[in-house]
Amino acid sequence: MKINAQHIAAAALLCLSSALHAQDGGTAYNFLNVTSSSKVYGLGGVNISLVDDDINVADQNPALLGPETSNMMALSYMHYVGGSNFAALRYCHSAGERAAWSAAVHYFGYGSMKEALPDGTVTGTFSPKDLAVEGAYSHDFTDMLRGGISLRMLYSAYAEYTAFALSTDLGINYYDPDRDLSLSLVVANAGGQLKRFNETYDRLPFDVRLGWSQSFGSFPLRFSVTAWNLTKWHLPFVESGDGSSSATPQVRDTFISNLFRHLVFGVDLVTSPNYYLALGYNYKTRTDMSTYSRSFISGFSLAGGIKVKNFGVGVAFAQPHTGATTFMFNLSYNLNDLVN
């Protein structure tokens, strides 16, 4: 009898999801917290208040969709640890003058893993994968207030084991263009499994998030702060020390560490609509990777992009650990010229 393939995959994906800013507390489906936007990834991986022409920000907050991004298409690719590769495709269209909808497909592949019998005999390999099919809709309540909803169908296949789930995001955004002030609230990843892998019910990473983004006058930078994991205050982590045999791992659960593990900071250059640079810092990522071999730049991320006419390119880079260099690439195109 083979070892349950779900358990093999779960062990590997636990490390992956932690490095990808997964929510603590024993949830599955943590790939829902992985952005498909290279700009958001450069801003720390989580940002629900970025008012931008990047339609991929809709996976952070459906209220960031709008008629202004109508007829845009975006392709995203991310290379993570080992053989892990993620991809997404999104299209957006207006629904009248005050509403918009989008459709997207997200693929998460985790490479090849060994499958073995209880005695350790390797019987082959399998390639665990997750797939999310998403639809989103937004509507302008006023000139400054917009709401949105997204629904995702989630399919997981780990060897011969499969599961199916539904999740939804509810978001609201307030944007004052005169002050370039954006405030957002998102209820993320609400839902549950409809088909289990086995007898165990896996919970989705339900979360409540708040976001603020703003630039100030002629100053060329926009600042963002996102508060997430707000359904749970205590987010302890283990500090491993310098890795020597005499070092004793210590659990950190102070007020300051918990506070900053709930916050993601970002800053981006807003001098031109034709290019951008973005820098982010995610303290939770850095402390999740709290080992002696952690990279000096762990927790930091960087992104840049350019736009030429209707075509845009974006890239992002981060190294949460010395053995984990991540890279994200976005392509976007405005189809309006093709239909006009």
Side-chain angles (χ1 to χ4, degrees):
M1 181 178 179
K2 295 182 180 180
I3 296 175
N4 188 323
Q6 180 206 358
H7 293 164
I8 301 174
L13 297 184
L14 178 62
C15 298
L16 174 67
S17 62
S18 176
L20 288 171
H21 325 316
Q23 180 181 6
D24 293 317
T27 59
Y29 297 94
N30 289 309
F31 60 85
L32 291 171
N33 291 328
V34 182
T35 181
S36 60
S37 166
S38 59
K39 190 169 186 178
V40 169
Y41 192 67
L43 289 169
V46 186
N47 189 308
I48 66 169
S49 54
L50 185 67
V51 175
D52 199 83
D53 59 1
D54 177 7
I55 64 171
N56 282 322
V57 299
D59 68 16
Q60 297 284 293
N61 180 358
L64 297 177
L65 279 176
E68 66 275 5
T69 57
S70 181
N71 231 15
M72 290 189 67
M73 179 177 290
L75 176 67
S76 173
Y77 168 76
M78 180 180 186
H79 173 71
Y80 199 67
V81 182
S84 297
N85 294 280
F86 309 150
L89 178 66
R90 181 182 295 274
Y91 174 76
C92 175
H93 201 280
S94 62
E97 297 182 355
R98 303 184 67 85
W101 61 267
S102 76
V105 178
H106 304 261
Y107 169 82
F108 303 87
Y110 308 105
S112 180
M113 301 181 184
K114 294 180 180 180
E115 190 170 6
L117 297 173
D119 62 5
T121 302
V122 176
T123 59
T125 61
F126 68 102
S127 299
K129 58 184 67 71
D130 294 299
L131 183 69
V133 179
E134 174 192 335
Y137 177 81
S138 69
H139 182 79
D140 292 350
F141 301 125
T142 70
D143 291 340
M144 295 184 180
L145 191 65
R146 175 182 293 169
I149 182 172
S150 64
L151 178 66
R152 298 184 184 95
M153 296 179 289
L154 313 173
Y155 172 77
S156 301
Y158 301 160
E160 66 268 32
Y161 298 89
T162 60
F164 183 76
L166 291 176
S167 76
T168 186
D169 292 352
L170 299 171
I172 192 166
N173 173 257
Y174 169 85
Y175 180 61
D176 182 349
D178 294 333
R179 295 190 293 163
D180 193 25
L181 168 66
S182 175
L183 301 171
S184 289
L185 167 67
V186 171
V187 177
N189 307 325
Q193 278 188 311
L194 301 181
K195 179 183 180 296
R196 307 179 186 184
F197 285 108
N198 51 24
E199 295 81 12
T200 303
Y201 179 82
D202 294 319
R203 295 186 298 112
L204 272 64
F206 176 77
D207 195 13
V208 176
R209 301 169 183 175
L210 296 171
W212 165 80
S213 295
Q214 187 174 6
S215 62
F216 298 91
S218 60
F219 194 65
L221 300 177
R222 172 172 50 189
F223 300 90
S224 296
V225 180
T226 305
W228 70 314
N229 290 315
L230 297 182
T231 60
K232 181 180 181 181
W233 168 250
H234 289 280
L235 298 175
F237 69 97
V238 177
E239 181 67 62
S240 300
D242 60 6
S244 64
S245 58
S246 60
T248 302
Q250 296 183 355
V251 177
R252 304 295 186 186
D253 192 16
T254 66
F255 174 84
I256 295 298
S257 70
N258 281 309
L259 174 64
F260 280 93
R261 278 169 65 80
H262 284 283
L263 300 177
V264 178
F265 302 91
V267 58
D268 63 306
L269 188 67
V270 291
T271 53
S272 170
N274 297 321
Y275 62 84
Y276 72 85
L277 290 173
L279 176 68
Y281 181 68
N282 189 318
Y283 181 70
K284 186 176 185 300
T285 298
R286 182 170 180 82
T287 49
D288 283 345
M289 298 289 102
S290 183
T291 68
Y292 69 95
S293 57
R294 176 179 61 194
S295 169
F296 173 77
I297 61 174
S298 176
F300 289 95
S301 52
L302 180 67
I306 59 172
K307 182 184 295 183
V308 179
K309 295 184 178 179
N310 286 359
F311 184 76
V313 179
V315 295
F317 166 86
Q319 190 183 57
H321 192 275
T322 53
T325 298
T326 61
F327 174 81
M328 179 174 283
F329 180 71
N330 279 173
L331 288 176
S332 63
Y333 190 77
N334 191 322
L335 300 174
N336 284 319
D337 280 355
L338 298 179
V339 298
N340 291 336

